[in-house]
Amino acid sequence: VAAVGISGRVHHRIEELALGTNCAVVHIPLGIDLGCAEIAREELQADQLRLVWVGRLDEDSKRVSDLPRIADALRGQNLPFILDIVGDGPSRSALQEAVSACDARDSIRLNGWQSASAVRNILAQSAVLPLPSNRERMPMVMLEALACGCGVVASRVSGVEDYEAHPLARGCLWVHDVGDIARAARSVVAAAALPGAQRRSAARALAEAEFSI
C-alpha cells in the first residue's frame, strides 16, 4: 500500500496521518506534456506588459479579488500593462464588479473560458502569471505557464512553496505571502525589469527540470 503526495505540504499531511509501516508515503510532483520549446519564444513585442490569470473564478480558493487590487498597485507604479483573465466560475459577477470599480479597469480583460490551445497561446504571449490563491494542492497553471516561458508571481501555497528556493527559480518565480498585494506588485515589476528572453529561458528551464511528464 502506498500514498502519494503531489506537493511537500500534502506529503507532510499524509505522514501526519500515521498510516502505519505497511503504507509507503512518497512525494511525486505533478507533470505535464511540456510541448515544444519554441512556444516559449513567442511573447509578443509590445509597449505594455502582458499579464495573464487562468483558472476557475472562485474567491474562496483562488482569491480572485486580489487581481484588480494588484492591477491598481501596478497602475500606481506607472507600469503599462494588460491583464487577461481567462476562466469562469461562481465569483465572476463579483469580480466583474471589482474590476469595474478599480482604477485599472481599462487594463483588465475578462475573456471567459477558452480552449486549451488558446490558453497555451495566451500563456506563450504573456510575460507574467499572477497567482494570488488562498490555497492550492499543486497549481497546474503554474506548470503550464512555466512551460510556455511565462514567469509566475504566486502566493506561498502548497506546491508553489516547494520551488521558491529552487536554484532554477531565479528569474521566473516570485513568491509572496497570501494577500500581500504590495509584494505581489513589486514582484511583477521585478519580472518586467528582466529581459524577456532571460525570463522565458529561466521559466522553460525550471519546467523541463521539474515538470516534464
Side-chain angles (χ1 to χ4, degrees):
V1 179
V4 177
I6 59 174
S7 72
R9 192 181 300 195
V10 173
H11 185 185
H12 178 66
R13 288 177 177 172
I14 294 173
E15 289 182 322
E16 289 180 332
L17 296 175
L19 299 176
T21 56
N22 292 329
C23 181
V25 181
V26 295
H27 178 195
I28 303 178
L30 295 178
I32 61 171
D33 179 0
L34 298 183
C36 62
E38 284 72 19
I39 197 168
R41 296 196 290 270
E42 293 179 0
E43 183 182 337
L44 295 180
Q45 298 298 315
D47 294 332
Q48 295 176 315
L49 184 73
R50 189 166 184 183
L51 311 178
V52 61
W53 182 94
V54 180
R56 185 170 185 264
L57 298 180
D58 176 55
E59 177 66 18
D60 183 51
S61 60
K62 302 299 185 181
R63 200 180 175 94
V64 292
S65 63
D66 276 3
L67 295 171
R69 295 186 183 117
I70 292 170
D72 272 352
L74 292 174
R75 176 62 61 88
Q77 299 192 40
N78 297 316
L79 179 68
F81 69 93
I82 289 292
L83 169 58
D84 281 306
I85 298 176
V86 180
D88 208 338
S91 298
R92 180 181 178 88
S93 295
L95 179 60
Q96 286 177 318
E97 291 179 6
V99 168
S100 296
C102 78
D103 294 335
R105 55 187 173 274
D106 293 338
S107 298
I108 303 173
R109 303 185 295 206
L110 277 72
N111 297 279
W113 285 117
Q114 301 290 317
S115 68
S117 61
V119 168
R120 188 169 179 82
N121 285 333
I122 293 172
L123 288 171
Q125 294 165 3
S126 299
V128 180
L129 172 90
L131 193 66
S133 303
N134 275 323
R135 60 179 179 273
E136 297 279 354
R137 295 179 180 87
M138 180 68 178
M140 290 294 291
V141 69
M142 178 179 78
L143 281 59
E144 294 165 348
L146 293 170
C148 289
C150 180
V152 176
V153 171
S155 53
R156 189 174 286 107
V157 293
S158 178
V160 174
E161 63 192 3
D162 294 345
Y163 300 95
E164 180 177 1
H166 194 289
L168 295 178
R170 184 178 179 85
C172 65
L173 176 63
W174 294 261
V175 182
H176 58 84
D177 290 339
V178 173
D180 192 339
I181 303 299
R183 179 66 179 271
R186 289 197 301 270
S187 295
V188 172
V189 172
L194 293 176
Q198 177 182 336
R199 187 182 56 249
R200 293 192 298 273
S201 177
R204 182 71 188 192
L206 178 56
E208 290 179 348
E210 297 294 338
F211 304 126
S212 174
I213 201 164

